[in-house]
């Protein structure tokens, strides 16, 4: 190539180099994406007995699966059900994400969902979900957990906490209205819920919605009980709101439900309730 002054310069193209740089960047981005997806994979850690059974191609014989989503729901089951000596911790599900950063998944209650099985009635399974499960992990959580359970004659009950600020109603909602229960169930659920159904245009989202959707698609009887409350943390009034559900959780569970005052104080923080509603 000749310049204005007649100087001859060598000409070369950077097209090949740019293509190679772009290819390297794409491969690097793809590698980072694969590593991140692998890190965000939900992992199940079962007891040796259950692990051996699943490896043999069998599934957990489960007639009732109860999930507590949120601290109030978990405190309710801890005080009224799990406080007895009739339960064994049999596994946990671990999900690493932006709000739950356990690296190994072997420890850290904030990063795990713990499974408990009744000693006298092994077909009853309870799961505490007090950690955060990201949106992109909900599907694989439900798929992996329910793949371990036999679905025939299975009934799923989900207890969950929700802020009353998310509840939509045309009527005036005073501070004395909360907490209260609302229910939503799959088409295969034939029992009578303990409270009225969730009114439109209200919807359920997150973890309870993922479980209910899985049960609806796979024709599993399931019901979600939302407890709408007006406080930011666990409290005794909200926990007590779940009590009507006890009559629907099976005979073996009802036999355990007689918590002492000491047990209640251990799991439930009793304090003056400060409403977040404008009145």
């Amino acid at each position: 190539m000749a310049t204005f002054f007649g100087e001859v310069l060598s000409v070369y193209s950077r097209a090949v180099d740019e293509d190679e740089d772009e290819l390297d960047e794409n491969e690097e981005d793809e590698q980072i994406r694969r590593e991140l997806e692998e890190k965000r994979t939900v992992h199940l850690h079962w007891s040796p007995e259950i692990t051996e059974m699943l490896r043999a191609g069998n599934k957990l014989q489960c007639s009732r699966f109860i999930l507590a989503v949120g601290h109030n729901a978990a405190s309710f089951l801890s005080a009224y059900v799990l406080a007895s000596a009739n339960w064994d911790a049999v596994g946990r599900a671990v999900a690493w994400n932006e709000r739950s950063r356990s690296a190994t998944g072997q420890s850290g209650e904030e990063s795990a969902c713990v499974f408990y099985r009744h000693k006298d009635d092994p077909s009853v399974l309870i799961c505490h979900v007090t950690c955060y499960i990201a949106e992109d992990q909900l599907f694989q959580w439900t798929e992996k957990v329910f793949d371990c359970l036999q679905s025939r004659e299975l009934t799923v009950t989900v207890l969950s906490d929700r802020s009353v600020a998310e509840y939509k109603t045309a009527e005036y909602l005073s501070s004395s209205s909360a907490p209260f229960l609302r229910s939503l169930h799959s088409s295969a659920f034939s029992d009578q819920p303990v409270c009225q159904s969730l009114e439109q245009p209200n919807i359920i989202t997150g973890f309870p919605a993922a479980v209910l959707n899985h049960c609806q698609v796979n024709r599993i009887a399931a019901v979600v009980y939302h407890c709408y409350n007006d406080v930011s943390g666990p409290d005794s009034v909200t926990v007590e709101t779940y009590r009507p559900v006890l009559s629907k959780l099976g005979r073996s569970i009802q036999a355990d439900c007689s918590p002492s005052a000491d047990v209640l104080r251990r799991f439930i923080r009793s304090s003056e309730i400060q409403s977040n509603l404008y009145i």
Side-chain angles (χ1 to χ4, degrees), residues 57-77:
N58 300 316
K59 294 190 176 184
L60 277 169
Q61 299 299 309
C62 186
S63 63
R64 190 167 295 276
F65 186 29
I66 304 160
L67 298 100
V69 184
H71 292 286
N72 281 304
S75 296
F76 169 74
L77 286 185

Side-chain angles (χ1 to χ4, degrees), residues 222-276:
V223 59
V224 174
Y225 289 108
H226 266 337
C227 181
Y228 289 94
N229 63 76
D230 61 343
V231 292
S232 57
D235 68 277
S236 59
V237 178
T238 302
V239 169
E240 288 288 322
T241 307
Y242 290 108
R243 286 196 67 175
V245 182
L246 288 175
S247 62
K248 300 293 185 178
L249 297 184
R251 294 180 179 179
S252 58
I253 291 181
Q254 293 179 44
D256 295 338
C257 300
S258 56
S260 65
D262 291 337
V263 170
L264 290 175
R265 280 193 295 268
R266 189 192 318 162
F267 294 107
I268 303 172
R269 177 177 58 85
S270 298
S271 61
E272 182 181 356
I273 304 303
Q274 299 294 329
S275 174
N276 291 328

Side-chain angles (χ1 to χ4, degrees), residues 48-108:
E49 176 188 355
I50 295 179
T51 299
E52 187 66 26
M53 181 185 64
L54 294 174
R55 285 177 179 173
N58 300 316
K59 294 190 176 184
L60 277 169
Q61 299 299 309
C62 186
S63 63
R64 190 167 295 276
F65 186 29
I66 304 160
L67 298 100
V69 184
H71 292 286
N72 281 304
S75 296
F76 169 74
L77 286 185
S78 294
Y80 282 89
V81 180
L82 296 174
S84 71
N86 293 330
W87 298 87
D88 286 325
V90 294
R92 67 174 61 227
V94 179
W96 184 97
N97 52 59
E98 59 273 13
R99 288 169 55 182
S100 181
R101 298 178 177 274
S102 175
T104 63
Q106 297 298 329
S107 61

